[in-house]
Amino acid sequence: MDLTQRAYCDRILRVNLSTGSIETTPLPANVMPLILGGKGLGAWLLCTEQPAGVDPLSAENRMIFHNGPLTGTTAPTAGRFGVTTKSPATGTYFDGYCGGYWGNMLKYAGYDALVLTGAAQNPVMLVIDGDWVEIRPAENLWGKTISTATKQIKDELGHDWQSLVIGPPGEAQRNLAGIFNESRALARGGVGAVMGSKNLKAIAVRGKGGVRVHDKRQYERALQLSFRAVRMSGPISMLRKEGTANILEVVNAMGALPTRNFQQGQFEKSDEISGTAFRQHNWEKDYACFGCPIGCSKWTTPLEDGKVIEGPEYESIYALGSNCAIGSRETIIRLNWLCDEYGLDTISVGGVIGFVMEMFERGIVGADTLDGISPSWGNAEAAIALVEKMARGEGCGEWLAQGVASIAKRYPAAKAFAMHVKGLEMPAYHPNAAKGTALAYAISERGACHLRGAPLGELFSGAADPLVIEGKPQLFRDHQADKAVWDSACLCAFPGYGMTLKELWQLVKAATGFDYPKVADLERIGERISTLARLFNVREGFSRAADTLPARNLIQPMTVGSAGGQVVDLEPMLDEYYRIMGWDANGVPTPERLKELGILDTPGAFKNGE
Amino acid sequence: MKIGLQTRMDRLFNRHGDGRAICVAADHGYMSDVTPNVVNLRSTIEAVIAGGVDGILLAPGQALRLAPLFKGRDGPALIVRADWMNMPRLGTSNVTNAVPQRLLINEKVITAEQALSLGATAITVYLFLGYSDKVETIGIDKCAKFVNECRRAGLPCIIEPLAYGGQVTGANIVEILTLGARMAVEIGADALKIPYTGDVDSFRNLIEVSGVPTLVLGGARSDNERDALELYAEAHEAGASGCLMGRNVTKSPNPKAMIEQLNNIGHHGWTVDEALRGVAWDFMRLKAKPALCTGCNLCVGACVASHGNGDYGTNQARLRIESGSKPGQHKVMFCTICKKCIDVCPTKALRWHLESGAVELLPEHCDNCAKCVAICPTQVIIHSEMGLTFEDGRSLDWYPVVCDLCGSAPECARICPTGAIFIAERPDFSPVLE
């Protein structure tokens, strides 16, 4: 089977930063139809090649960048790529995805994946120009912010290059550090810290190659259907108009907009920070990632001192806004600018500030331990000062930038309202007001995550009653399988508000020529991939005990709002979900289920795990 | 009463004697937004009637108010929306009214007799699928009661199966819609209003399974009007008896033209391209509105994929998106058919293509002096990657690659999601051979 005729490059680039060795290997051809690429390939490589118990910040941890079979074609959002590694924030399997313009470049350079191992002695940059790959010294980039480093690379190499860079928090290996392709980011789980631990400041790539699909005529037809489904979707036209923030009003109405560190689910200043308000006062122009017909992101009008960002999107607005009781759009933009400029994760930064604000209000921490800063609720100056500390690694910023879970270890009295799962700060949907989403946060292979199949439709498209738990395990299981396929074909989630798995199946089938007679065959691939990720976590010692939520969700009822009185009755949902997935009562996939999914039959899988 | 039913079915489906009906749904003010298309309902209805629409779906109150526009027997058929539901309020299209809803509510608002007295030719009712069994049971009970009333009154009952519930997935949506179509017919629907299944084969199957006249609905409006026309053209090919489209027509800047285009496809067998242009252009050109460009580069990808060996990529594109001076600004660089390359060519290797009017290279005349590359104001003439060898043994190690307008169907303009690059007529042009 010639994978280069099936939308793949059939090359994995392997760089060992300790030894300087650079080589390429072919894709595991017999496995590809089972895992598709992207997330599937990342999970497979991490599971089969990485021994158990590796320290995430050690040279042994693998960092795997991957694109998918559709990447680089004209499919909607085909510039997407991901990274898979073991996270320093969670200690789990971790995958993150990003738009921008880097993923398609890696594909055009001729690689389906880039596997990084080892760690350089001194700061380096990886330069990939098609077949030419080089590890260059990067002392001159070390310490530079995202925009400065990015510009310096473009000036040095040329404007047809794309780069991934980390900022100072990444260099300092902080858990809140992300990786940036200009204004787009893979920010969660401390992936920037993993890159920093390898002394790798940047990865620049340029490629001039192409992608050959298996059946061009069928693929063009599938493209036409996909684009039409995207263009004829109401939710997508809202995304274009008001960005991801378009849902803020409805989430607030449902009592699910986390406010004041999840004490409430409705924010009294929601009108000030809605998509409508941003569109009216702050947004100048739409931004699209490579190949994206939606353009959900927006460029802002400059702040007083000329600062401009691409954003803020809904998650950042919640994290830096309602979660800290900040209702000023300009403050949110400034906080977001700081995160983008220094290379921090907006969700986790907002999670930390909200958490610290609550600890301060309850007297658990004082200004004396926070370098004189008094972060009361909604205090914009304090929030900005805290983010600056985290960005520069100064004073309290050094330990704050390790995230909520790490802070809670210093202050056990705050554990009940440390809003994270497995060490990852929570995203923008209050679990008490959305039970399917609560289950997804508890189960997700990378900690509290809304992008690993959380059935968000329960909140904003009437897909189910958000407050009941009945039927939610099945709903989550379906969404989880679905989402794993999107991440493996490697498209953004947003075309999925118009397209369904059916359109994606038509694309994947035409591009790869793999034998998938039914749409449901892809669901099976999705379940297989999620199960692989679960197996990695099981091997690292995670099981049922870790599939949980903070006490604020489990035993403290919401006091006000349209989800008032609600807690998450998690255990019955876990039982039901494990049963549907064929996992045992402790959350470990059974050998029978693994056999059904073809995992044990996959050559090489889990040779280290058994 | 059977005669009444037949007369009304004919009124709806046989105004043109072809069994097809191009209809507009304009009942949105009843349950979703008060958007401009809803506020200006009267002018929209006047426009679609002027465009020759065959039927218009209205809520009962508006049917009463707008009755004079229907002008007796020669006018379009009035279809009355006979039930109300809260589903759009659960979604994002109307967030200001969004309230935490626990269940779908679907209420009957008018009887068949009342609809008849309004002058209705038919009524429509929803059948919700993919929610809970409870919702489905209530829906079937309601549809069955309507069908009985309609039978007594001799009024056609159009059932509208919708698959929006939480159980709907990409893997089962076609199955749910097909089953829904059949269920509607088993209940007694005289015709269906139904979403498109996404491809011709499955929609043809749905129509065959249902066995009654089927009107395809449009859904949310696409900014690219080609989408609605293509969707209808495919449904037409699959055997649909017409369309009952709402927002794609009523939110269009020109609803009359949209109806004329749908009519030309449905009643006159035109292709989408013919319908879109209305009149044939002799020649076209590309134009751009850079302010609309989001920088997605789909145009560049589409250009590369439709030339050379057909692989997808961005190398060797015949147009280019450049960053502007401010964040988010873009420049669209494409062939503006300025003729400078043709004029500068010392060997007359470049000329207007006789059919497309694009710049055409006659490679055998070319000695790759690169004067055209140098003079191109938008720098979109590029060096080919491969050379050429001629029969006489002469060879070129590269030749200039120029925009060929994809033979009068430019892929860049076709794929552009925002209309930042588009085609326009090129009047007063004829390619003269010198």
Side-chain angles (χ1 to χ4, degrees):
Chain A
M1 184 160 57
D2 184 357
L3 288 172
T4 62
Q5 306 293 316
R6 294 171 179 266
Y8 297 95
C9 305
D10 199 14
R11 284 205 302 183
I12 299 171
L13 177 61
R14 294 173 181 272
V15 178
N16 184 325
L17 291 163
S18 296
T19 64
S21 108
I22 296 168
E23 53 168 7
T24 63
T25 55
L27 286 174
N30 51 341
V31 183
M32 291 315 285
L34 300 173
I35 57 173
L36 209 52
K39 177 179 180 130
L41 182 60
W44 191 82
L45 288 170
L46 195 72
C47 285
T48 54
E49 296 185 1
Q50 179 141 312
V54 164
D55 172 0
L57 297 177
S58 70
E60 284 73 44
N61 193 14
R62 274 148 187 78
M63 186 166 219
I64 304 161
F65 292 90
H66 37 72
N67 48 45
L70 306 188
T71 309
T73 70
T74 55
T77 70
R80 216 163 167 80
F81 68 100
V83 67
T84 301
T85 188
K86 184 176 170 184
S87 157
T90 64
T92 61
Y93 157 98
F94 202 95
D95 59 336
Y97 301 87
C98 178
Y101 287 76
W102 192 88
N104 49 304
M105 270 299 184
L106 184 69
K107 186 92 174 250
Y108 298 151
Y111 307 103
D112 302 296
L114 161 64
V115 181
L116 294 170
T117 50
Q121 288 289 323
N122 299 302
V124 294
M125 163 166 80
L126 184 62
V127 177
I128 304 168
D129 190 7
D131 291 344
W132 175 258
V133 184
E134 189 189 343
I135 303 167
R136 285 193 195 172
E139 267 93 2
N140 59 342
L141 291 171
W142 204 252
K144 299 273 166 71
T145 61
I146 302 295
S147 68
T148 310
T150 304
K151 183 169 182 304
Q152 204 169 318
I153 292 166
K154 281 222 167 178
D155 288 347
E156 191 182 320
L157 296 174
H159 280 258
D160 48 347
W161 286 74
Q162 289 292 331
S163 62
L164 289 183
V165 302
I166 56 169
E171 296 168 7
Q173 305 177 28
R174 301 291 93 185
N175 283 344
L176 264 49
I179 303 172
F180 285 67
N181 170 228
E182 306 200 355
S183 55
R184 309 298 303 178
L186 305 135
R188 307 227 69 199
V191 290
V194 176
M195 203 158 140
S197 75
K198 301 194 176 305
N199 258 326
L200 181 61
K201 176 71 180 180
I203 307 172
V205 59
R206 178 172 71 167
K208 294 188 170 179
V211 182
R212 179 163 301 172
V213 295
H214 180 70
D215 186 334
K216 175 98 190 257
R217 249 190 64 194
Q218 228 187 67
Y219 193 68
E220 285 285 317
R221 172 72 184 142
L223 283 175
Q224 187 195 359
L225 296 175
S226 299
F227 272 98
R228 191 168 66 205
V230 167
R231 287 191 295 245
M232 298 188 84
S233 149
I236 288 179
S237 62
M238 286 303 292
L239 268 175
R240 179 179 299 131
K241 201 167 128 199
E242 297 187 354
T244 50
N246 80 81
I247 58 169
L248 190 137
E249 289 166 275
V250 74
V251 176
N252 188 61
M254 302 297 266
L257 179 66
T259 302
R260 290 182 180 80
N261 196 38
F262 289 75
Q263 290 189 52
Q264 294 111 26
Q266 283 176 323
F267 185 39
E268 65 278 10
K269 292 182 185 162
S270 64
D271 285 349
E272 299 288 312
I273 58 170
S274 67
T276 317
F278 273 102
R279 173 51 93 190
Q280 199 179 342
H281 301 290
N282 303 87
W283 283 336
E284 280 205 342
K285 193 154 189 315
D286 297 352
Y287 166 96
C289 299
F290 178 82
C292 174
I294 303 170
C296 71
S297 193
K298 317 292 168 196
W299 289 102
T300 56
T301 44
L303 295 175
E304 287 156 18
D305 55 355
K307 301 281 192 286
V308 170
I309 61 161
E310 179 240 291
E313 62 95 48
Y314 171 67
E315 293 289 334
S316 308
I317 295 173
Y318 127 77
L320 305 168
S322 63
N323 198 48
C324 306
I326 290 173
S328 147
R329 291 185 301 279
E330 285 69 26
T331 303
I332 294 171
I333 290 174
R334 185 167 302 281
L335 291 167
N336 196 341
W337 179 84
L338 280 167
C339 292
D340 286 0
E341 185 60 15
Y342 285 88
L344 291 164
D345 174 15
T346 51
I347 301 181
S348 292
V349 164
V352 165
I353 300 176
F355 184 45
V356 172
M357 282 179 167
E358 181 165 358
M359 289 200 296
F360 178 80
E361 295 274 354
R362 290 179 187 275
I364 299 172
V365 289
D368 51 328
T369 42
L370 296 170
D371 305 336
I373 301 166
S374 299
S376 51
W377 286 125
N379 185 335
E381 274 168 35
I384 291 169
L386 288 177
V387 179
E388 281 175 344
K389 294 270 176 197
M390 287 191 258
R392 303 199 178 109
E394 296 165 359
C396 64
E398 206 181 335
W399 52 273
L400 289 178
Q402 286 295 68
V404 166
S406 157
I407 299 169
K409 277 198 188 123
R410 295 169 76 112
Y411 299 98
K415 188 167 179 279
F417 55 91
M419 304 309 291
H420 70 91
V421 176
K422 299 185 178 79
L424 191 68
E425 290 75 9
M426 268 188 197
Y429 309 90
H430 203 303
N432 299 35
K435 303 299 165 55
T437 303
L439 177 64
Y441 286 3
I443 298 269
S444 144
E445 57 265 34
R446 66 171 206 174
C449 183
H450 60 300
L451 296 172
R452 297 295 175 279
L456 301 174
E458 65 182 337
L459 282 174
F460 45 76
S461 67
D465 183 343
L467 299 183
V468 306
I469 61 169
E470 286 76 28
K472 292 298 165 63
Q474 183 67 44
L475 194 62
F476 166 53
R477 180 257 161 221
D478 292 348
H479 279 67
Q480 189 187 32
D482 206 283
K483 190 64 178 59
V485 178
W486 286 85
D487 289 339
S488 299
C490 227
L491 296 187
C492 172
F494 293 152
Y497 286 99
M499 292 167 68
T500 66
L501 196 63
K502 177 171 169 256
E503 280 81 22
L504 185 63
W505 168 72
Q506 288 165 333
L507 286 172
V508 165
K509 221 168 42 145
T512 64
F514 292 156
D515 183 27
Y516 302 134
K518 302 185 305 296
V519 186
D521 294 334
L522 286 195
E523 279 187 336
R524 199 171 174 76
I525 291 177
E527 186 183 334
R528 179 181 298 124
I529 293 164
S530 301
T531 306
L532 273 176
R534 179 76 180 185
L535 284 172
F536 182 91
N537 286 346
V538 167
R539 198 179 72 185
E540 302 295 325
F542 291 89
S543 60
R544 181 168 189 138
D547 292 343
T548 187
L549 294 167
R552 174 153 291 169
N553 303 129
L554 296 177
I555 53 174
Q556 294 178 4
M558 286 257 260
T559 49
V560 289
S562 39
Q566 292 287 323
V567 289
V568 182
D569 191 8
L570 185 63
E571 297 304 320
M573 286 200 287
L574 284 182
D575 288 337
E576 172 76 358
Y577 175 82
Y578 292 161
R579 191 187 59 75
I580 295 170
M581 291 294 282
W583 299 357
D584 68 19
N586 200 25
V588 178
T590 58
E592 296 77 37
R593 189 73 190 134
L594 293 180
K595 204 167 169 207
E596 268 173 56
L597 289 169
I599 290 179
L600 293 181
D601 298 337
T602 307
F606 311 114
K607 62 183 175 195
N608 302 306
E610 287 172 84
Chain B
M1 282 306 158
K2 233 182 151 192
I3 292 175
L5 182 67
Q6 192 53 52
T7 310
R8 292 186 181 93
M9 286 294 277
D10 275 348
R11 168 88 190 265
L12 181 57
F13 287 104
N14 252 338
R15 280 180 95 220
H16 293 259
D18 57 3
R20 294 210 176 85
I22 301 299
C23 307
V24 167
D27 56 337
H28 296 86
Y30 204 18
M31 41 204 125
S32 55
D33 316 80
V34 188
T35 45
N37 62 319
V38 168
V39 177
N40 305 320
L41 188 61
R42 177 175 290 266
S43 61
T44 306
I45 298 302
E46 283 168 347
V48 298
I49 291 176
V53 75
D54 295 322
I56 303 174
L57 172 62
L58 291 174
Q62 292 293 4
L64 197 62
R65 286 162 54 89
L66 301 175
L69 298 178
F70 284 74
K71 292 206 184 93
R73 286 188 172 271
D74 296 331
L78 169 68
I79 308 164
V80 171
R81 165 65 62 195
D83 59 346
W84 177 94
M85 52 95 177
N86 63 346
M87 197 202 65
R89 293 191 168 200
L90 302 172
T92 52
S93 58
N94 191 15
V95 286
T96 47
N97 285 334
V99 284
Q101 295 286 353
R102 299 283 172 260
L103 262 184
L104 184 80
I105 303 168
N106 184 203
E107 280 290 322
K108 174 178 169 169
V109 293
I110 189 171
T111 64
E113 279 78 14
Q114 286 165 333
L116 262 192
S117 72
L118 286 172
T121 300
I123 60 159
T124 60
V125 287
Y126 293 111
L127 175 57
F128 287 98
L129 304 164
Y131 288 86
S132 61
D133 288 348
K134 192 176 154 201
V135 171
E136 207 161 292
T137 313
I138 294 170
I140 287 170
D141 182 55
K142 182 204 64 183
C143 285
K145 284 182 177 145
F146 265 119
V147 165
N148 282 332
E149 269 181 28
C150 284
R151 282 282 170 281
R152 285 198 295 274
L155 188 66
C157 181
I158 304 173
I159 293 182
E160 179 173 354
L162 289 175
Y164 285 150
Q167 295 165 23
V168 181
T169 68
N172 66 18
I173 185 163
V174 172
E175 204 181 315
I176 289 181
L177 280 176
T178 310
L179 175 64
R182 182 66 195 207
M183 279 163 61
V185 173
E186 300 279 349
I187 295 168
D190 300 297
L192 298 176
K193 175 189 184 211
I194 200 160
Y196 189 51
T197 52
D199 64 275
V200 174
D201 290 341
S202 63
F203 203 59
R204 182 180 288 124
N205 180 53
L206 181 148
I207 290 170
E208 282 169 11
V209 164
S210 70
V212 298
T214 302
L215 299 168
V216 70
L217 62 84
R221 175 167 187 265
S222 165
D223 288 332
N224 185 340
E225 297 203 333
R226 187 186 186 91
D227 286 322
L229 298 181
E230 259 179 21
L231 183 147
Y232 175 57
E234 284 177 26
H236 177 88
E237 188 191 333
S241 302
C243 62
L244 187 40
M245 278 194 187
R247 289 164 285 173
N248 278 284
V249 175
T250 59
K251 285 188 174 177
S252 161
N254 190 347
K256 174 171 175 274
M258 200 73 192
I259 289 297
E260 285 167 350
Q261 289 161 350
L262 288 166
N263 267 335
N264 281 334
I265 296 169
H267 294 307
H268 305 300
W270 289 25
T271 66
V272 172
D273 280 313
E274 288 166 345
L276 258 179
R277 279 178 219 160
V279 289
W281 291 346
D282 289 329
F283 294 97
M284 67 172 62
R285 53 171 304 169
L286 288 167
K287 281 189 166 182
K289 292 179 187 159
L292 296 178
C293 178
T294 58
C296 74
N297 275 272
L298 276 168
C299 52
V300 173
C303 178
V304 172
S306 57
H307 294 98
N309 64 3
D311 288 357
Y312 293 87
T314 50
N315 195 27
Q316 290 275 299
R318 294 150 199 232
L319 81 168
R320 196 171 70 250
I321 303 298
E322 279 184 5
S323 298
S325 50
K326 287 206 303 192
Q329 255 183 4
H330 299 284
K331 291 184 225 164
V332 186
M333 310 296 268
F334 59 99
C335 173
T336 58
I337 48 174
C338 69
K339 199 162 171 277
K340 289 199 170 112
C341 54
I342 296 181
D343 290 341
V344 79
C345 180
T347 60
K348 293 199 180 340
L350 294 171
R351 65 169 190 189
W352 295 127
H353 189 280
L354 292 177
E355 279 162 21
S356 68
V359 178
E360 180 186 22
L361 175 75
L362 306 168
E364 57 274 22
H365 292 240
C366 178
D367 60 3
N368 64 16
C369 67
K371 286 201 168 70
C372 54
V373 177
I375 204 165
C376 178
T378 51
Q379 297 175 303
V380 289
I381 302 184
I382 48 171
H383 290 226
S384 69
E385 284 195 324
M386 308 277 268
L388 278 176
T389 304
F390 301 103
E391 279 179 13
D392 62 4
R394 200 172 66 89
S395 69
L396 292 175
D397 54 356
W398 68 271
Y399 57 89
V401 175
V402 291
C403 169
D404 59 359
L405 289 171
C406 301
S408 302
E411 294 290 337
C412 50
R414 198 184 166 106
I415 203 166
C416 179
T418 64
I421 185 162
F422 58 98
I423 53 170
E425 192 173 4
R426 187 181 179 191
D428 308 323
F429 171 77
S430 65
V432 187
L433 277 187
E434 286 175 24

